[in-house]
Amino acid sequence: MWGIDVKNVTKKVKTSDGKSELIFENFNLQVKESEVVGIFGPNGCGKTTLLNMIAGIVKPDLGEILIFGEKPGRKSIAYIFQDYRNSLFPWLTVKDNILFPLSLKKMKRKAIQEKLDCMLDTSNIPFDLDKYPYQLSGGQQQYISILRGLISDPIAMLIDEPFSALDYSNSLWLMEKMAEILKSMSIPAIIVAHDLDHLMCTAERICFLSEKPTSVVLEKLIDSDNPKRQCRLDNSLFKEAKQELTNLYSRKGLAYGWG
Amino acid sequence: MGGVEIRKSILSFALLIFGWYAVASLHLVNPMFLPTPFETIQEGARLIAEKKIFIDLIYSFRRVVYGVSLALIMGIPVGLGLGYYEKVYQYFECILDFFRSIPPILTFPLAMLIFGTGEESRIAVIFFGCVTIVILNSAAGVGNSPKLRVNAAKIMGASWYQIFSRVVIFDALPQIFVGIRVSLSMGVIIGIVTEMLVGDKYGLGSRAVNAQIAYDTPGLFFTIIIVGLIGLIINKLLILLENRVIHWKKAA
């Protein structure tokens, strides 16, 4: 069984001038049970719409999306948004933000505390949990939103451009954390990013998307046992692989008008 | 407000009073219309000593508090609901604008017909003038808040009620506070005007009118200053409270 299975999905959306635009036509994407897939594509090709459909907040017009054989929205999915400022709850402390998904369910306080302790044991959180999100750096805030996604034991993870609102040092820090988390989790994950470096560090397979109507034009496997995955940007193997991808990207760029 | 700002404010008030003193004591204006600060303070001290001003204050304040509280109790939930259900709001937007366009004091004669000349009619007019302000601000607070948080909560499995009580209300809080501040100022204005129109025995509005009839300009000046100070204090206290409650806005 596929972890995430997007089958023959067709989706039209309304643009701001009232016209409807075809974004996906018979789009397919399969993610293995514990695979991390990176998505790379031009602006406006519907990457976020794809994630929204998998999360179940947007319905496809045709086709089917299954997560471990079930329709989206039934089981908990971690969705990390690009805009951490507007996805965290600024009126809650860091701790309450992380525990928010659990507080929605009828869960005993003791069980919630156990979950938190368990998370604190496994992930080494380098800041005070009683602070408010706005008192932390951007990278730390995004890290909180990842932890918030993970606390409810999700069956899949969707990550939408987690680094693009961060400065360089913050995104480097978060990239390392993210690689750690994704390595330790064994759930299917889709990560959308604008920067190949970020995908190279975190994903096992990168899918290149075309312009609308969107399809996967190229796939690139990143050998996950390789030292490349250790997130060293100066690693020679990493450099080679990136060069190869950059070449492909610029060639595709001409063909698809990405440049 | 930090120490420096307080000092600046005190200095500007001192300058204003000095200017007033200079103009009044040099008789640049007919002393009939402009008493000196001393005369005003003297009259004020008398009113305070006789406790008359406090009775007026309590009466005026009570009307405003009742009227505005009613407007908040009704206006905030209605506004939040309308803001959340945008389609329903579209039906009501024009009606709300219509009611908002009516000068509230214009409904005072009608309120007196219905409720008589007692407290109820005044409270009803204050309520009428404030409730549209509260509704519109609360609705705007929901409408302008980022939809992402609501979406995030939905994905986490929040129910309709949970989204409302744990996300929407908090996101709307800053704008709700704007509504509270504006409606309190509006409430003070309406309350005092109703007192001036149909004199009650007590109230700052009636005190001002009575002082005018008696050619008691120091008393009139003192009443005006008191009303100004009350407005200022209410506003400053609310800002203080706002910064406390909505701590995240200050940082943003």
Side-chain angles (χ1 to χ4, degrees), chain B residues 227-247:
Chain B
V227 173
L229 281 178
I230 290 171
L232 187 71
I233 291 168
I234 290 176
N235 223 334
K236 292 288 173 206
L237 283 180
L238 271 174
I239 288 173
L240 218 67
L241 183 71
E242 199 177 324
N243 287 342
R244 270 275 168 111
V245 178
I246 314 170
H247 53 86

Side-chain angles (χ1 to χ4, degrees), chain A residues 56-93:
Chain A
I57 28 179
V58 175
K59 292 225 154 49
D61 296 336
L62 288 171
E64 195 177 33
I65 293 171
L66 296 174
I67 299 157
F68 287 102
E70 279 192 82
K71 288 229 159 78
R74 297 235 174 109
K75 294 254 170 71
S76 159
I77 289 174
Y79 195 147
I80 316 310
F81 300 93
Q82 170 186 2
D83 186 0
Y84 53 85
R85 268 196 203 91
N86 284 328
S87 77
L88 290 174
F89 304 109
W91 49 86
L92 298 179
T93 60

Side-chain angles (χ1 to χ4, degrees), chain B residues 12-249:
Chain B
S12 63
F13 266 110
L15 276 175
L16 183 74
I17 293 168
F18 179 76
W20 173 18
Y21 170 75
V23 171
S25 56
L26 292 173
H27 292 286
L28 297 175
V29 178
N30 187 344
M32 182 75 217
F33 306 133
L34 186 71
T36 62
F38 296 117
E39 284 168 329
T40 309
I41 290 167
Q42 234 170 13
E43 178 65 15
R46 192 181 65 81
L47 288 172
I48 290 170
E50 290 172 11
K51 297 203 175 76
K52 277 182 181 162
I53 196 86
F54 293 117
I55 298 169
D56 291 324
L57 242 171
I58 288 165
Y59 268 79
S60 293
F61 203 67
R62 202 172 57 188
R63 286 164 191 151
V64 175
V65 167
Y66 281 170
V68 174
S69 304
L70 277 176
L72 294 179
I73 290 167
M74 218 193 102
I76 292 175
V78 171
L80 290 175
L82 287 178
Y84 193 63
Y85 296 104
E86 226 172 304
K87 288 202 175 119
V88 184
Y89 180 68
Q90 285 162 1
Y91 283 98
F92 284 96
E93 196 177 9
C94 207
I95 295 179
L96 279 172
D97 275 334
F98 167 73
F99 280 117
R100 204 169 53 135
S101 309
I102 301 170
I105 205 69
L106 200 61
T107 62
F108 188 39
L110 180 67
M112 279 195 298
L113 274 181
I114 301 171
F115 298 108
T117 52
E119 293 296 287
E120 292 89 345
S121 56
R122 296 166 208 273
I123 292 170
V125 179
I126 294 171
F127 168 79
F128 174 78
C130 295
V131 77
T132 47
I133 297 172
V134 177
I135 290 176
L136 284 169
N137 275 293
S138 309
V142 179
N144 296 338
S145 65
K147 301 281 170 287
L148 192 59
R149 273 197 268 275
V150 171
N151 265 342
K154 263 187 204 160
I155 292 170
M156 292 175 213
S159 66
W160 169 90
Y161 173 74
Q162 285 171 325
I163 288 175
F164 209 86
S165 65
R166 302 191 48 190
V167 183
V168 171
I169 288 180
F170 286 96
D171 257 332
L173 258 187
Q175 197 66 33
I176 292 176
F177 257 94
V178 173
I180 295 174
R181 266 214 325 255
V182 176
S183 63
L184 261 175
S185 307
M186 183 58 116
V188 171
I189 293 171
I190 300 170
I192 283 178
V193 173
T194 62
E195 288 164 1
M196 294 173 76
L197 279 179
V198 175
D200 192 344
K201 212 169 152 198
Y202 305 110
L204 291 166
S206 7
R207 167 154 301 281
V209 172
N210 291 338
Q212 178 230 337
I213 292 167
Y215 287 95
D216 172 19
T217 33
L220 188 52
F221 262 74
F222 186 71
T223 310
I224 293 171
I225 290 168
I226 286 288
V227 173
L229 281 178
I230 290 171
L232 187 71
I233 291 168
I234 290 176
N235 223 334
K236 292 288 173 206
L237 283 180
L238 271 174
I239 288 173
L240 218 67
L241 183 71
E242 199 177 324
N243 287 342
R244 270 275 168 111
V245 178
I246 314 170
H247 53 86
W248 63 93
K249 271 285 158 204

